[in-house]
Amino acid sequence: MEDFRWTYLQLCKEGGVEPQESVVAQLQESRAAHSSRLDLSGHSLSTDTCSVLARAFQKDAVFTEVSLSDCMLTEEGTKMILAGLFHNTSVKCLDLKGNNLRSTGAEVLGKLLGCNKTLHRLVLEWNALGVWEESFSLFCDGLASNNTLTHLDLRNNQINHHGASELALALRRNSTLQELDLRWNNIGLLGGRSLLEALQKNKSVVQLEMAGNNIPSDILKALEQSTGHNSEREFTLRESRNKTHVLSREIQSLKEEKGRQFLSLMETIDRQREEMGRSTKSTSAQIGQLQQALNERKSAINSLTAKLQMTEAALALSEQKGQSMGEVLSRMKAEKEEQKEQQSRLRKKQEEESSLREGKLHREIQNLMETNGQLRNKVEELECRCKSQQQQIFELKQELTNSTAELKMRLTKAEDRLESEKRRSKQTLEDMESLRHKEVENVSRHLEESERALQERIFKLEAQRIQLEEELGKTKAAVVTERAQAEEELGKVRTQMRLEEQEHVSSLEEKLRSLRASMQQLQLHCSQQKQSISELQVKSSHQSVEMDGLRRRIEELQQDLSGKEQEKVAEVSRVRLELLEQIGQLEADRTAQEGLKAKIGALEREMKVLTNNHREVLLDKESEKSSLLEKLRLKEVEIQRMKEDEAQRASYLQSAILSYVQGSPLGHYSSPNK
């Protein structure tokens, strides 16, 4: 406010114009009240003041409403002020009531309406815009090109039927004007008909005031009906917009819920994948440990073979020593033969000693045979234990392969379910959007058909007033047919939804077939693994043959193995402990897999619950749709009844006003104008 006042005073100072006290006082009042309305009504404004205000309006961004009613503006002053408002972006309401605007004012107003993009309300009551037809046609051209004005007041502007025809041409091109006041002009029958024809093309005017224009009552009723149709159309459009907004919000909320559910599913699947990765890592580590144990056993066997070779070499050396000892004995025999006589006594003693030694040797041999039998029993026990360990290893490998296959199958099932849920959610969202678009298109199509039917009715009312009841029956029949068509369309939509569901079921069956094919591939893979296991068994049989050869060597080297039995027992106990630990780990993996099975079952139950909820929501939406259609039908019946009541009231009021005007002094005042 202060900026506009300061701008006004500065421009007055620059132009050498003395500020008008009434304008300054009004600016001061608006600044004190912090109002965005500039009220200069009733103040006579000079030409210089108008030029300064025009320059100030060019820079103004404060006032949204300007009132210049009854300011006794000259044509030059009006031209200046309106030129200043050409490119103003803040004034939305302009009041020029009672300023006796004529040709120049009409031309400048037309330019203003063509240039200004923010003006919504224009009051031109008690002027003379319709006196000069060419100027008024320019004003109508500006109104036709305007896209922002919604309210226009042209009361008491001496507009005749030529001006009304120009205004009708402007209304055909204008699509934003909603309220038009043409009371107390001289439009007449021809002007009323031209306006009626224009309103058949214009769909934005919802209120038209035509009292005091010497227009017949039937044309007035037709004009009221056309504006009523426009208002009904606007109301239905507003309701449809509200419904579409509500539906879009619901769809957005459903999208958000589906997104949250999808994110939760992805998180659970990621967790399951991590757990499965950890389990596979642990199983691979266990397999690696078993392979290491097998490699250690192979190295132990290799070391035993090396030891056997060493013992064979030692036996060869002992044989050589025996041969050398035989040579020594032959020499000794020769010496003994030479000394037989000397050692005859000693021989007897030696024979006794030798007999004793032979007894001892026999006893030692028996002991050695017993120890040999014990060693053989121990070797058989060790062989049995090795076979049992190999059987356990084979069973563990089978369990590992089965567990890995089950985990892979569950992972593929979870991924397929996730993809199916994604496709299902996308399909439901697309179906909801298509249904919303179809509903909007059906509503708009019904509205256009109803508008066309109403326009045809208006033409028939002008030509055939007597057959109103028959036309009403026809329109009712048309409404019934339209409702039947709407119901048929709903049935088509439902059948289409059923077909889409059948297609979805067929796609799911195809997915099941693909899953069965993947199962067959997995079975082939399992058979290949079984073949590899059989090959390993053959290798183990070869190793058993090698073990038989080693047994023969072991029987020859029992004396050397007696010291290493304890080491073998220790190794066997260690292997037993390791196998027990591995078995415990495998049992823990089994428990983890059972937990994963339980989680997958819970996720499947949640998916079933979500699908059931989604179906219930769709059923609720269909019931809401049917209730809304029923409400629309009831509203149409009420609107028809209210229209008839309003038409009767308007006819009564018009007859009463005409009788009152004819009997009052206003009738004598309006008679010279006619």
Side-chain angles (χ1 to χ4, degrees):
M1 313 299 176
E2 186 65 26
D3 292 338
F4 188 84
R5 180 173 172 275
W6 182 82
T7 303
Y8 174 72
L9 295 174
Q10 188 70 24
L11 291 173
C12 288
K13 185 177 180 181
E14 290 176 359
V17 179
E18 186 177 356
Q20 194 167 341
E21 293 180 358
S22 59
V23 175
V24 175
Q26 190 63 35
L27 290 173
Q28 187 69 27
E29 289 179 2
S30 62
R31 184 177 69 84
H34 299 286
S35 176
S36 61
R37 185 174 186 273
L38 179 61
D39 190 1
L40 297 176
S41 58
H43 300 287
S44 60
L45 302 177
S46 62
T47 305
D48 296 333
T49 302
C50 289
S51 65
V52 174
L53 286 173
R55 292 168 63 189
F57 282 138
Q58 290 177 357
K59 302 177 182 179
D60 177 39
V62 176
F63 293 111
T64 59
E65 185 177 355
V66 177
S67 178
L68 299 174
S69 60
D70 299 323
C71 288
M72 300 175 66
L73 296 175
T74 61
E75 291 186 356
E76 190 67 24
T78 303
K79 187 176 181 180
M80 289 178 181
I81 288 176
L82 294 177
L85 291 170
F86 278 176
H87 301 289
N88 185 279
T89 58
S90 61
V91 177
K92 296 181 180 179
C93 180
L94 179 62
D95 189 356
L96 294 173
K97 176 183 175 182
N99 283 294
N100 198 18
L101 300 179
R102 295 179 181 273
S103 61
T104 305
E107 293 176 1
V108 179
L109 282 169
K111 293 179 181 178
L112 173 66
L113 292 175
C115 295
N116 191 281
K117 303 297 180 184
T118 57
L119 194 63
H120 295 313
R121 182 183 176 86
L122 181 61
V123 180
L124 299 173
E125 185 182 359
W126 288 104
N127 287 292
L129 298 176
V131 176
W132 285 271
E133 295 178 359
E134 295 179 357
S135 301
F136 190 71
S137 66
L138 293 173
F139 171 76
C140 292
D141 291 337
L143 177 62
S145 62
N146 187 271
N147 292 323
T148 56
L149 193 68
T150 58
H151 182 86
L152 179 61
D153 191 351
L154 291 175
R155 287 179 289 177
N156 291 299
N157 271 278
Q158 301 180 17
I159 300 171
N160 55 13
H161 61 92
H162 293 290
S165 63
E166 293 290 336
L167 191 60
L169 291 173
L171 289 175
R172 290 188 181 191
R173 294 166 57 191
N174 187 283
S175 61
T176 57
L177 189 65
Q178 296 179 357
E179 297 181 7
L180 178 61
D181 196 346
L182 294 173
R183 288 180 289 180
W184 308 111
N185 286 292
N186 193 15
I187 292 173
L189 176 62
L190 297 175
R193 287 180 178 176
S194 60
L195 287 172
L196 182 60
E197 292 175 357
L199 286 177
Q200 291 174 1
K201 298 288 182 67
N202 186 286
K203 305 299 179 185
S204 62
V205 177
V206 296
Q207 185 176 359
L208 179 63
E209 300 290 341
M210 297 294 293
N213 280 288
N214 295 325
I215 299 174
S217 61
D218 56 350
I219 294 176
L220 286 174
K221 288 181 181 179
L223 289 169
E224 288 177 359
Q225 288 179 357
S226 61
T227 54
H229 294 321
N230 289 337
S231 63
E232 289 176 0
R233 181 175 177 274
E234 187 68 25
F235 178 72
T236 53
L237 285 173
R238 194 180 297 111
E239 285 186 348
S240 64
R241 286 171 187 165
N242 293 327
K243 290 177 182 178
T244 52
H245 182 64
V246 171
L247 287 171
S248 62
R249 283 189 296 180
E250 290 179 356
I251 290 166
Q252 188 67 28
S253 63
L254 287 172
K255 284 182 179 178
E256 290 176 356
E257 289 179 0
K258 291 290 182 183
R260 287 193 294 270
Q261 292 173 3
F262 177 71
L263 290 173
S264 64
L265 285 172
M266 288 297 290
E267 289 177 356
T268 53
I269 288 164
D270 291 332
R271 288 196 296 271
Q272 289 178 0
R273 283 180 179 174
E274 290 176 357
E275 291 176 357
M276 290 174 73
R278 287 194 293 270
S279 63
T280 52
K281 286 179 181 178
S282 63
T283 52
S284 62
Q286 290 174 2
I287 291 165
Q289 290 177 1
L290 290 171
Q291 192 68 31
Q292 287 178 0
L294 289 171
N295 292 325
E296 288 177 356
R297 288 185 181 178
K298 286 180 181 179
S299 62
I301 291 164
N302 292 324
S303 65
L304 288 171
T305 55
K307 289 178 180 179
L308 285 170
Q309 291 174 0
M310 291 172 70
T311 52
E312 287 176 355
L315 285 170
L317 291 171
S318 63
E319 286 177 356
Q320 290 177 0
K321 288 179 180 179
Q323 289 177 1
S324 62
M325 289 296 289
E327 291 176 355
V328 171
L329 286 170
S330 63
R331 290 174 186 175
M332 291 294 290
K333 284 178 180 180
E335 290 177 356
K336 285 179 181 179
E337 286 177 355
E338 291 176 356
Q339 294 177 1
K340 281 181 180 179
E341 294 177 357
Q342 293 177 2
Q343 293 180 354
S344 59
R345 296 176 182 176
L346 292 171
R347 281 182 182 176
K348 292 179 181 179
K349 292 179 180 179
Q350 286 178 357
E351 286 176 358
E352 291 176 357
E353 289 177 357
S354 63
S355 62
L356 293 171
R357 286 177 183 175
E358 285 177 359
K360 288 180 181 178
L361 287 171
H362 284 296
R363 286 193 294 274
E364 287 178 358
I365 288 165
Q366 288 178 358
N367 292 325
L368 288 172
M369 291 295 287
E370 290 177 356
T371 53
N372 191 2
Q374 292 177 359
L375 288 171
R376 284 180 181 176
N377 293 325
K378 288 181 180 179
V379 168
E380 289 176 355
E381 288 178 358
L382 288 172
E383 288 176 355
C384 293
R385 289 175 184 174
C386 288
K387 288 181 180 179
S388 63
Q389 287 176 1
Q390 288 177 358
Q391 187 67 26
Q392 289 177 358
I393 289 164
F394 178 69
E395 290 177 355
L396 289 171
K397 285 182 179 179
Q398 285 183 349
E399 289 178 356
L400 286 172
T401 54
N402 293 325
S403 62
T404 53
E406 287 179 356
L407 289 171
K408 287 180 181 178
M409 289 173 64
R410 288 172 186 170
L411 193 140
T412 54
K413 286 181 181 178
E415 288 177 351
D416 292 332
R417 286 176 184 169
L418 178 63
E419 289 177 356
S420 64
E421 186 61 26
K422 285 181 183 176
R423 292 174 185 171
R424 194 181 296 167
S425 62
K426 287 181 182 178
Q427 187 68 28
T428 52
L429 290 172
E430 289 175 356
D431 294 337
M432 290 293 289
E433 288 180 355
S434 63
L435 286 172
R436 182 175 65 80
H437 288 302
K438 286 179 182 178
E439 287 177 357
V440 172
E441 288 175 358
N442 289 325
V443 171
S444 61
R445 187 169 65 253
H446 289 310
L447 288 171
E448 289 176 358
E449 289 176 358
S450 62
E451 286 174 4
R452 290 173 187 170
L454 290 170
Q455 288 177 2
E456 291 175 358
R457 264 190 275 167
I458 289 164
F459 285 116
K460 289 178 182 178
L461 283 170
E462 289 180 356
Q464 299 174 356
R465 297 177 188 171
I466 299 169
Q467 298 178 355
L468 284 170
E469 294 178 354
E470 295 177 356
E471 289 179 353
L472 287 171
K474 291 178 181 179
T475 53
K476 287 179 181 179
V479 169
V480 170
T481 55
E482 287 176 0
R483 287 177 185 168
Q485 289 177 359
E487 290 176 353
E488 289 177 357
E489 289 176 354
L490 287 171
K492 290 178 181 178
V493 169
R494 288 174 181 171
T495 55
Q496 187 176 2
M497 289 290 289
R498 290 172 184 172
L499 290 172
E500 288 176 354
E501 286 179 356
Q502 291 177 358
E503 290 177 355
H504 186 64
V505 170
S506 64
S507 64
L508 288 174
E509 289 177 353
E510 290 178 357
K511 289 178 183 177
L512 286 171
R513 293 191 191 97
S514 63
L515 287 171
R516 287 173 182 171
S518 63
M519 286 286 290
Q520 290 177 358
Q521 291 177 358
L522 289 170
Q523 287 177 358
L524 290 172
H525 185 66
C526 290
S527 64
Q528 291 175 359
Q529 287 183 353
K530 288 179 180 178
Q531 289 178 0
S532 63
I533 288 163
S534 64
E535 291 175 357
L536 290 171
Q537 288 178 355
V538 171
K539 289 180 181 179
S540 65
S541 65
H542 288 300
Q543 288 179 358
S544 64
V545 171
E546 292 176 358
M547 288 292 290
D548 292 329
L550 291 171
R551 280 177 203 161
R552 295 187 186 95
R553 292 181 183 178
I554 288 165
E555 288 175 356
E556 294 174 355
L557 299 170
Q558 288 176 357
Q559 294 177 359
D560 295 329
L561 290 172
S562 62
K564 296 179 179 179
E565 284 178 356
Q566 295 179 356
E567 295 178 357
K568 285 184 180 180
V569 171
E571 287 179 357
V572 169
S573 62
R574 182 174 61 80
V575 170
R576 281 182 183 176
L577 292 172
E578 289 178 355
L579 288 172
L580 290 171
E581 289 177 357
Q582 290 176 1
I583 289 164
Q585 290 179 357
L586 289 171
E587 287 178 354
D589 291 333
R590 283 182 182 175
T591 54
Q593 289 175 3
E594 289 176 354
L596 289 172
K597 287 181 181 178
K599 288 181 181 178
I600 290 165
L603 288 172
E604 289 177 352
R605 289 193 292 274
E606 288 178 358
M607 291 296 293
K608 288 180 181 178
V609 171
L610 288 172
T611 54
N612 292 325
N613 292 328
H614 187 65
R615 289 175 183 172
E616 290 176 357
V617 168
L618 288 174
L619 292 172
D620 293 333
K621 291 294 179 184
E622 288 180 356
S623 63
E624 287 178 1
K625 191 188 292 181
S626 62
S627 64
L628 288 170
L629 290 171
E630 186 66 21
K631 288 180 181 178
L632 281 172
R633 186 180 65 77
L634 295 173
K635 289 289 183 182
E636 287 176 356
V637 174
E638 290 179 1
I639 288 165
Q640 189 67 29
R641 184 175 56 76
M642 290 173 71
K643 281 182 186 177
E644 293 175 357
D645 294 335
E646 288 293 329
Q648 290 178 0
R649 290 177 185 173
S651 62
Y652 293 154
L653 286 171
Q654 188 175 2
S655 61
I657 289 166
L658 288 173
S659 62
Y660 176 78
V661 169
Q662 289 175 1
S664 64
L666 290 172
H668 299 291
Y669 178 76
S670 61
S671 61
N673 291 329
K674 296 179 182 178

